[in-house]
Amino acid sequence: MFLYILGLVAFWFVFRWYRELARVPNKGQKYVYITGCDSGFGNLLARHLDKLGFRVIAACYTEKGEDELKKVSTERLNTVHLDVVSTDSVSKATAFIKTLVGEKGLWAVVNNAGVSVPSGPCDWMTVDDYKSMLDVNLIGVIGVTLSVLPLIKKARGRVVNVASVFGRISAFGGPYCVSKYGVEAFNDSLRMNMSFFGVKVLCLEPGFFKTSVTDLHLLRKNVKTLWDKLPEEIKDQYGHDYPERANVTLEKNVATLLDGDLMKVVSCMEHAISAVHPRTRYSPGWDAKFLWLPMSYLPTWIADKMLLKDMAKPTGSIL
């Protein structure tokens, strides 16, 4: 019986591998709109798709990002300035894309832009801290998607949303996990709605990768900035040495998990865009596959104990 089940599992993986080999034709006529192309995953994806022959529309937050990307790309790649928080900026980018793609429509949008700070214990945060991140990581994703959705429906194309494995399990406090849970919910509801129109909606849930948003200097600075704004009462509850202890824990946990191979994520993005039969979800990174996702299926009390074990504890903790 065991061998029979093992054989079925092996057959399923071989079948899925073979099925996923097929790629869409006429790449040179397909436009792909990518947000957050100044650095990291977005920058690598724009260059990778350009080499594969797609017509890339790379949205950058800075003029420097646009200039540097143009230097290493072919004439097929177009850049556009985009601030996902600004309705006016999103509208201008959409108008540019409409002119560019014409009646062909837009093959894919990749919602890659995002931020990771402020992050910290929930009682360190203000409502404005939550709003600032949700505006980028969630409202920005929704705004960009809705702005080009008619063009994607015309092409029967793809929406690719970059969420996070922390949209499946909250491993730390603050607005980041909240924003990524929101992306997951938007992705799932949009996938069902768009299935009637032949549009595929795919989600990426990466683990920890070495990018600007996981830079340890940025994360340490984030801890100091939040701590300096706290009232004395909360500082006393956590202990005045808490920032140092939090940074030690941060370096121990994050540095251990960081994966420097960004192409693991970019390859999943490319597959979501170019495969005839893409997956509904991708979980690039060993920590996403073998640590965080399995943990998300455990009973809450077990998962909580595992997560709390590796956290810096406040002086006033009762645990």
Side-chain angles (χ1 to χ4, degrees):
M1 182 65 179
F2 174 75
L3 290 177
Y4 177 73
I5 294 171
L6 192 64
L8 284 176
V9 171
F11 173 78
W12 162 248
F13 277 106
V14 171
F15 171 75
R16 188 179 71 168
W17 169 78
Y18 180 76
R19 186 171 182 265
E20 291 177 351
L21 289 176
R23 293 295 190 269
V24 296
N26 304 319
K27 293 175 184 175
Q29 296 178 24
K30 288 179 166 58
Y31 287 87
V32 180
Y33 178 29
I34 310 166
T35 68
C37 291
D38 296 82
S39 62
F41 301 133
N43 186 278
L44 276 177
L45 178 65
R47 288 153 52 190
H48 182 61
L49 293 182
D50 182 49
K51 287 177 183 176
L52 292 178
F54 283 96
R55 294 193 171 273
V56 176
I57 306 166
C60 297
Y61 184 68
T62 65
E63 190 175 329
K64 180 184 176 184
E66 292 186 61
D67 292 340
E68 290 184 354
L69 192 51
K70 284 176 181 176
K71 289 176 186 176
V72 294
S73 307
T74 70
E75 69 285 348
R76 284 190 303 269
L77 184 141
N78 288 273
T79 62
V80 62
H81 169 72
L82 180 66
D83 176 1
V84 297
V85 173
S86 167
T87 304
D88 183 57
S89 180
V90 171
S91 297
K92 286 180 180 177
T94 304
F96 170 75
I97 292 166
K98 282 180 181 177
T99 303
L100 198 62
V101 304
E103 291 303 311
K104 293 186 182 72
L106 181 66
W107 175 249
V109 59
V110 182
N111 286 302
N112 167 73
V115 294
S116 61
V117 295
S119 283
C122 296
D123 55 345
W124 290 22
M125 300 290 159
T126 66
V127 171
D128 287 338
D129 290 327
Y130 277 83
K131 284 180 179 177
S132 66
M133 188 176 286
L134 290 170
D135 280 345
V136 178
N137 289 4
L138 178 57
I139 305 303
V141 168
I142 296 171
V144 168
T145 301
L146 296 181
S147 73
V148 294
L149 201 53
L151 299 174
I152 292 173
K153 287 165 75 176
K154 185 180 288 187
R156 293 190 177 181
R158 314 276 168 91
V159 177
V160 182
N161 293 314
V162 181
S164 167
V165 73
F166 299 112
R168 302 284 288 273
I169 183 170
S170 293
F172 44 87
Y176 185 80
C177 296
V178 176
S179 69
K180 293 303 182 179
Y181 268 78
V183 172
E184 293 272 357
F186 173 66
N187 182 88
D188 290 349
S189 57
L190 185 69
R191 185 183 66 249
M192 289 188 292
N193 295 159
M194 289 300 103
S195 61
F196 296 111
F197 303 99
V199 172
K200 290 182 169 63
V201 181
L202 306 318
C203 189
L204 269 79
E205 301 168 339
F208 277 114
F209 281 86
K210 197 172 183 178
T211 67
S212 59
V213 298
T214 55
D215 178 67
L216 285 173
H217 175 71
L218 172 73
L219 298 178
R220 286 191 213 101
K221 184 180 177 183
N222 161 72
V223 172
K224 184 179 186 307
T225 301
L226 290 173
W227 181 261
D228 289 345
K229 294 190 298 182
L230 290 177
E232 284 302 316
E233 181 185 0
I234 293 182
K235 288 182 179 180
D236 290 340
Q237 291 168 357
Y238 278 84
H240 286 262
D241 65 338
Y242 187 84
E244 289 77 16
R245 290 188 287 116
N247 282 329
V248 170
T249 304
L250 190 69
E251 291 184 26
K252 174 188 167 187
N253 293 340
V254 176
T256 303
L257 295 173
L258 281 181
D259 191 331
D261 185 6
L262 303 191
M263 283 306 296
K264 288 178 182 175
V265 177
V266 172
S267 296
C268 290
M269 291 172 158
E270 182 260 312
H271 189 270
I273 293 161
S274 65
V276 174
H277 302 289
R279 298 182 189 180
T280 302
R281 277 184 165 82
Y282 298 82
S283 301
W286 70 267
D287 61 319
K289 286 184 176 72
F290 302 115
L291 177 61
W292 305 115
L293 278 179
M295 196 182 295
S296 72
Y297 293 109
L298 292 174
T300 303
W301 66 274
I302 297 177
D304 283 357
K305 280 191 174 182
M306 294 172 70
L307 292 168
L308 289 168
K309 178 174 63 70
D310 292 326
M311 287 184 180
K313 291 177 177 56
T315 303
S317 170
I318 63 170
L319 298 179

